[in-house]
């Protein structure tokens, strides 16, 4: 196997570097927020017994689905 040098690697554009930085920052934020929200949920912060579970499930589904479609569309249509 031939080992290349630094001249063989194509340069990374500013736009791609900025996009990668956004992705890494989002992943770090998600990893750090999971333990925080798990702790809050375990202590019952924000719990409302009068709220039917169907409304909570619908809200969670809507937010998760919306974020999925937004980021999937952004990833699939991204151009440099």
């Amino acid at each position: 196997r031939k080992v290349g040098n630094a001249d063989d690697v194509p340069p990374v554009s500013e736009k791609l570097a900025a996009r990668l930085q956004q992705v890494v920052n989002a992943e770090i934020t998600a990893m750090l927020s999971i333990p925080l929200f798990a702790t809050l949920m375990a202590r019952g912060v924000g719990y409302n017994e009068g709220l039917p579970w169907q409304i909570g499930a619908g809200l969670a589904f809507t937010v998760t689905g919306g974020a999925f479609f937004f980021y999937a569309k952004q990833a699939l249509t991204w151009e440099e």
Side-chain angles (χ1 to χ4, degrees), residues 3-76:
V3 177
N5 56 19
D7 296 333
D8 295 341
V9 178
V12 176
S13 70
E14 291 292 325
K15 190 173 180 182
L16 180 58
R19 178 71 178 138
L20 289 173
Q21 185 177 9
Q22 287 177 344
V23 169
V24 170
N25 285 339
E27 289 177 352
I28 291 171
T29 302
M31 287 182 358
L32 294 177
S33 65
I34 289 172
L36 171 67
F37 287 116
T39 302
L40 294 175
M41 286 175 57
R43 294 171 189 238
V45 175
Y47 179 71
N48 184 358
E49 195 166 324
L51 184 71
W53 71 267
Q54 293 91 345
I55 294 175
L59 179 63
F61 177 77
T62 303
V63 170
T64 304
F68 171 77
F69 284 115
F70 174 76
Y71 290 114
K73 179 183 172 194
Q74 195 176 39
L76 294 174

Side-chain angles (χ1 to χ4, degrees), residues 15 74-80:
K15 190 173 180 182
Q74 195 176 39
L76 294 174
T77 59
W78 187 80
E79 292 181 14
E80 190 155 0

